[in-house]
Every structure is written in structure tokens, then in C-alpha cells.
Amino acid sequence: MRKIWTILILHLMAFFKSPGVLVLMFVMPVLFSGIFGGMTMNSEQNKPIVNVVLSDTENSGQILNLLAKDQHYEWKKATRQEAEKNVAAQDVAAAVVIPDDIGERISASKPLLDIIVQRKNESYLALSAHLEGTAGLVLRSYQATSKLDSDAFPKVLETITNNKGVTVEKQTIQKDKQTNVEANLMFVGFAMMFMMFGLSGAASTILEERMGGTWGRLMVSPASKLQIILGYLLAYFFMGWTQFAILMTTMNLMFATTWGNLTYLIPFASLVILSVVGFGLMIAGLVKTKQQASAISAVLIVSTCMLGGVYWPIDIVPELMQKIALGVPQSWAMSGFKEIISGSLHSATLMKDTLALVGFSAIFFFIGLRGIKFE
């Protein structure tokens, strides 16, 4: 055990002497998270605007109240002409026209709401789900009250509006509603991406040590091959955890973020870091030079992070891409972190994410250890 710790400490000392690696693993994640985190935290001041065209009837007013339950948008009344002008100028995400003839539209099986949109961007795609849900509530309410008094329909809509249980949230219902899940996931995503860059570069030092003769001298030392490889892997693992802990602490001080239940977060983060270490080892085992490792790592890391939901929510991409994303570890890592940070802690989802990461880690380590030459 002492030999493993000696290799680990020597490797960590070499690591902390490298300014480039320190910048990549600590300065860059904090800088990116600080910039984009500040933008996300202040997004309340820049909510997408949605114009609403409606009459003065009670039904229209109650439907507007239902729409306004989604607080991710700023709902502003406008005339039809103003709404069309704002949409054409892209000053608003979309415009919603609430018709007067709700009953006639339901009887004729026509759409309940008219939408004016310039282009279907990310804001509109998120908005459309809320509009469909609201239309469904209005339809069911009307069907339930069609044989009652004329006042029954708006009263039911008012009751639904005042019922907090039907608030439409983009994220899973959270135990701590003050938690900004999207921002926290972004911090974790940046940490994971830069961790993959940093640890891939650190693992590829094995290639330099082979060329410089350090690796050969280690092989003839009293330490066994198992002790040597464990010393290296533990050093990379501690590097990853150091980076993750520093980012968590920094973001908590800067933005008062919360990370969910640490009983779940620490083991899951450890598994994610282990898979990242395995990824770096796999790259080192597949290539022959550090330059090759850097080039291949950059392509693989950026592409899989884009695919796995690190840069944007995976829910907004086409269904085919969501299925393809299941083939990269980042999507499972982000899914697990989302469950923990949001406080949902759905056991089946966490178990599935954990098993997937265990599988990826096993594959990475198998390929890496097979590729590394110990002679």
C-alpha cells in the first residue's frame, strides 16, 4: 500500500506543478461557470415575452391566468396588430390568440388557441408544451361543465388556476423550489467536460513516460504492475475529485447553489469521475503519442458532450438524437445529477443511470488496460 501511495503522491506533485493543467482543470471551469451561471441566475430579468391577444370576456381572462402559471415567460396583452408586428420583428417569442368562440371550436374539433410565431426556436419549443397542456385543461373543463350553468366553466378555470398542484414546471417537481436546477446542472456539465480534458491529458503522460524511460524504470522497481497502475489511477481520481469539490464550493459561494442530498451526490459523483478516469486511460491505451491523444480527446469530448446534454438540455433535441445520446456516458451522468440536484431521487432512474455508468467505466478500463504496454 505504501508503494501505491508513493506513486500517487509523486504523480499529484507533478500534476500541481503544471500551470497548463491547473488552468484547464480549475480556472477554466470556474470562469465558464461564473460567466454562464451569472447569465442564468439573472435570466429572470430577461424572460422571453409572449403577447396574448384576448377579449374582455371572463373565459379569456381565466385562460390567460392559466397561461401565466408558467413563470418562465413574461405574458403581455396586445392587440392582434401589435402582436403580429412584435412577432415579425422578433421582439417576442410568440403570440397567443385566445378566441371568443371556445365552445364552437371544441364542438368542431378545432385548435383552441391560435399561435403566431416567426420561427420555432428554443423558447417556442419549450412554450409549445405549456400551451398544449393548457389547451388540454381548458378542453376537459369545458366538457365537464357543458351541461351545467354558463358560469360553471369560468369558475372551474379559476379553481384550476388557484390550485398550485397544476403549476407547469420545466423541471421535475423539486423539494426545494428555490433551487435553480438548470444552472446547477450547467456547472456540473462544465466541470465534467473540463475534467475529461484534464484527466485525458494527465493519463496520456503515460505515453511521455514510456518514451522518456520513466515508465520502464517503474516496471523494474520493487512495485508490482498492479501497484503502479493503481497509484496512477488513484492520482487521477483524486485530481478529479479535487476539481469537482473546488467547483462546488466556488459556485456555492458565488451563487448560493445547492447540490441536493450529499449522501447520493458523493457516491454518484465518484462513479462519474471514475468513468472519466477510465476514458482518459482508454485514450492513452489506444494511441501512440501524446499529440494523438490530445487530438482524439478533443474530438471525442466535445462531440459526446454536445450529444450528452452538457451544453443544452437533451429534452429539446429530436427524439432520434435522444436515443443516440444513450450511447455516451455524459447523458447518463447528467440524468443522475438532475435527479439528485432537483431532489426528486427517483430510485429507478438513479439505478439505471448508475448501472449505465458502471458499464461504461468497465468498458473504458478494459480497453485502456489492454492497450497499455507494461514491458
Side-chain angles (χ1 to χ4, degrees):
M1 191 65 186
R2 185 177 64 182
K3 296 174 183 177
I4 295 175
W5 280 104
T6 300
I7 296 172
L8 183 154
I9 292 171
L10 290 174
H11 213 59
L12 286 177
M13 290 174 62
F15 163 76
F16 285 113
K17 289 180 181 179
S18 173
V21 176
L22 291 175
V23 170
L24 183 63
M25 293 197 67
F26 299 109
V27 178
M28 293 299 289
V30 171
L31 181 62
F32 272 65
S33 298
I35 293 173
F36 290 99
M39 293 170 58
T40 302
M41 292 299 184
N42 294 326
S43 61
E44 290 295 318
Q45 302 173 4
N46 301 296
K47 293 180 180 180
I49 299 173
V50 180
N51 279 159
V52 182
V53 181
L54 73 164
S55 62
D56 294 330
T57 63
E58 186 176 5
N59 290 342
S60 297
Q62 293 300 338
I63 293 175
L64 173 59
N65 292 336
L66 273 178
L67 292 172
K69 293 282 282 183
D70 190 337
Q71 299 179 2
H72 294 93
Y73 299 88
E74 185 176 351
W75 306 85
K76 288 187 175 181
K77 295 181 182 180
T79 64
R80 178 76 181 230
Q81 185 177 2
E82 291 173 340
E84 291 177 348
K85 180 180 178 181
N86 292 336
V87 170
Q90 297 187 23
D91 293 332
V92 298
V96 180
V97 181
I98 302 176
D100 296 330
D101 56 342
I102 292 291
E104 295 178 10
R105 290 198 172 212
I106 293 176
S107 300
S109 299
K110 293 181 179 180
L112 298 185
L113 302 174
D114 295 328
I115 311 300
I116 306 172
V117 63
Q118 179 73 11
R119 58 188 178 91
K120 295 183 178 180
N121 54 19
E122 182 180 340
S123 296
Y124 173 74
L125 292 175
L127 172 67
S128 61
H130 176 53
L131 297 178
E132 291 174 4
T134 302
L137 282 173
V138 173
L139 173 61
R140 291 189 293 273
S141 300
Y142 184 86
Q143 291 173 338
T145 59
S146 59
K147 297 181 180 180
L148 302 176
D149 296 337
S150 58
D151 294 338
F153 178 51
K155 287 181 179 179
V156 168
L157 292 181
E158 182 180 6
T159 301
I160 295 174
T161 302
N162 294 331
N163 187 342
K164 296 181 180 180
V166 300
T167 302
V168 178
E169 296 289 350
K170 191 174 180 180
Q171 295 290 341
T172 306
I173 296 175
Q174 307 165 21
K175 292 181 179 179
D176 181 3
K177 293 187 178 181
Q178 299 301 318
T179 301
N180 194 323
V181 178
E182 289 184 1
N184 292 351
L185 284 174
M186 181 188 62
F187 299 148
V188 171
F190 279 129
M192 185 162 53
M193 181 185 69
F194 284 105
M195 192 190 306
M196 294 181 76
F197 276 113
L199 294 184
S200 295
S204 62
T205 56
I206 294 176
L207 301 170
E208 286 187 341
E209 291 177 355
R210 286 193 62 205
M211 296 179 65
T214 305
W215 187 255
R217 290 193 292 272
L218 275 174
M219 289 298 105
V220 297
S221 69
S224 66
K225 294 179 181 178
L226 178 62
Q227 290 173 326
I228 293 171
I229 200 66
L230 283 177
Y232 275 75
L233 294 180
L234 284 174
Y236 303 146
F237 182 80
F238 286 156
M239 289 178 197
W241 247 118
T242 302
Q243 180 196 32
F244 192 76
I246 288 176
L247 184 67
M248 287 175 61
T249 304
T250 304
M251 293 303 104
N252 182 263
L253 294 174
M254 292 175 62
F255 301 112
T257 55
T258 56
W259 301 99
N261 192 325
L262 294 181
T263 305
Y264 291 87
L265 179 69
I266 292 175
F268 190 79
S270 299
L271 178 57
V272 172
I273 294 170
L274 188 66
S275 67
V276 173
V277 172
F279 175 83
L281 187 67
M282 178 185 70
I283 297 298
L286 290 176
V287 299
K288 296 182 179 180
T289 66
K290 189 171 182 180
Q291 289 73 22
Q292 291 178 352
S294 299
I296 293 175
S297 295
V299 174
L300 288 179
I301 292 170
V302 172
S303 59
T304 54
C305 282
M306 292 174 65
L307 192 61
V310 171
Y311 300 139
W312 47 72
I314 199 171
D315 298 334
I316 69 172
V317 304
E319 186 177 353
L320 175 61
M321 298 303 293
Q322 293 184 27
K323 292 180 179 179
I324 296 175
L326 298 178
V328 300
Q330 290 95 323
S331 63
W332 300 97
M334 295 300 287
S335 174
F337 279 125
K338 181 178 179 180
E339 288 294 317
I340 296 170
I341 293 173
S342 68
S344 301
L345 299 176
H346 189 260
S347 57
T349 302
L350 277 175
M351 182 60 67
K352 184 168 59 175
D353 296 333
T354 299
L355 292 176
L357 287 174
V358 169
F360 278 110
S361 300
I363 294 172
F364 292 156
F365 277 107
F366 176 78
I367 296 174
L369 292 174
R370 291 263 301 187
I372 291 178
K373 297 179 180 179
F374 290 94
E375 67 270 7

